[in-house]
Amino acid sequence: GLSVKSTVSRMLTASSRFIINTCIEPLLVQISSSSSTDENRTLNDVHEKEQACLRFLRCWNMLKFFSEGNTKVSYDRLLLEVFEDAGHEIDEYVENGILRYCWPPLGSDEAHEMSLSPQSPRYQCAFKYVVNKPALIKITMSVKQELARIQLLKEQNKLSKRVDTMINIHDTLAPSTVASDLEKDIAKVWGKLRSNWRDFDELSGADGKETQNEEDDSTVPSTEK
């Protein structure tokens, strides 16, 4: 028959595969299905992909959290440190057999506190195995980069609209202190926008593209008619 070591190894592999199939792969499918070119991507597409990336990272952080020696934690702590406003996802992991609720003995001082733990010690070992797989670590980094790129794109669009609004307001005013203040606001927002563009290019892998020289990079859009 199989040795104890071989049996444990097979059980760990089976648990790890179950976790990947149940938790990770469906989320990666969601991220991939939400992909489209920037030219064809709608606001709803961007939102869906952002939410899929956030959910994947919450799942990853949950696996890491329990793989770092946290065998049993309170529901409130898990919510605060990992899931935040997505507490409904905890129930889904319980329903899928990944986590389980732990209830303290009746009559104890902690009877009102609900805790969670991996489904079994074997699952906790599997969590650690999964979060240390080089291929999954690389995928997680790519998801983090894509999330940062999406959020930078959203902020860039917001700042661009703010710049346009400021310029339009400026054009309706006569030269005055108010107009001068608007010039300062425009310069400040434009500086943030330039910074976002540089971050956006870096996260998009635009290393081989030509960049503006310092003189061009410092140019604020003219408000002169």
Side-chain angles (χ1 to χ4, degrees):
L2 293 173
S3 67
V4 173
K5 183 177 180 179
S6 297
T7 302
V8 171
S9 178
R10 288 194 175 192
M11 292 173 65
L12 180 59
T13 300
S15 298
S16 301
R17 175 47 54 187
F18 176 75
I19 292 165
I20 292 172
N21 289 344
T22 305
C23 300
I24 293 179
E25 287 186 354
L27 296 176
L28 291 177
V29 169
Q30 287 183 31
I31 293 172
S32 299
S33 64
S34 301
S35 299
S36 60
T37 61
D38 287 336
E39 292 79 7
N40 299 326
R41 188 179 294 175
T42 65
L43 289 176
N44 188 58
D45 292 332
V46 172
H47 177 74
E48 286 184 357
K49 185 161 191 177
E50 180 183 24
Q51 293 305 308
C53 289
L54 287 169
R55 177 156 187 165
F56 175 90
L57 294 176
R58 284 193 295 269
C59 174
W60 185 261
N61 290 336
M62 181 267 292
L63 296 176
K64 284 190 67 177
F65 183 81
F66 282 109
S67 70
E68 293 171 350
N70 296 302
T71 57
K72 185 172 73 171
V73 297
S74 70
Y75 178 92
D76 291 342
R77 182 183 172 193
L78 189 61
L79 194 66
L80 177 66
E81 297 188 23
V82 177
F83 290 96
E84 298 181 343
D85 58 349
H88 63 280
E89 294 174 11
I90 296 177
D91 291 331
E92 293 178 16
Y93 290 121
V94 172
E95 291 172 4
N96 289 328
I98 304 297
L99 301 177
R100 66 184 179 91
Y101 287 114
C102 304
W103 302 96
L106 292 175
S108 70
D109 293 338
E110 299 177 348
H112 64 286
E113 293 186 6
M114 181 170 58
S115 300
L116 290 113
S117 70
Q119 185 63 235
S120 69
R122 174 160 51 102
Y123 272 64
Q124 185 162 19
C125 292
F127 287 1
K128 189 170 185 177
Y129 177 79
V130 168
V131 299
N132 282 287
K133 287 179 68 70
L136 290 178
I137 292 173
K138 185 176 181 180
I139 288 173
T140 301
M141 290 303 300
S142 297
V143 172
K144 288 181 178 179
Q145 289 177 331
E146 181 61 16
L147 177 61
R149 195 178 77 89
I150 290 171
Q151 292 177 339
L152 282 171
L153 181 61
K154 289 173 65 178
E155 186 177 1
Q156 178 175 310
N157 290 338
K158 186 194 308 181
L159 288 171
S160 294
K161 292 177 181 178
R162 186 178 171 196
V163 168
D164 291 340
T165 300
M166 286 182 170
I167 291 175
N168 290 335
I169 293 175
H170 176 280
D171 290 344
T172 64
L173 298 174
S176 64
T177 302
V178 175
S180 176
D181 289 342
L182 279 173
E183 289 280 8
K184 295 176 183 177
D185 286 341
I186 290 172
K188 182 177 178 180
V189 173
W190 192 250
K192 176 63 175 174
L193 194 55
R194 289 199 315 274
S195 175
N196 280 356
W197 279 336
R198 286 192 292 268
D199 291 342
F200 179 86
D201 287 341
E202 181 179 345
L203 290 169
S204 300
D207 299 330
K209 296 182 179 179
E210 295 183 0
T211 55
Q212 294 176 306
N213 58 39
E214 291 298 322
E215 181 178 354
D216 292 340
D217 192 50
S218 63
T219 302
V220 176
S222 174
T223 58
E224 296 296 328
K225 290 269 188 177

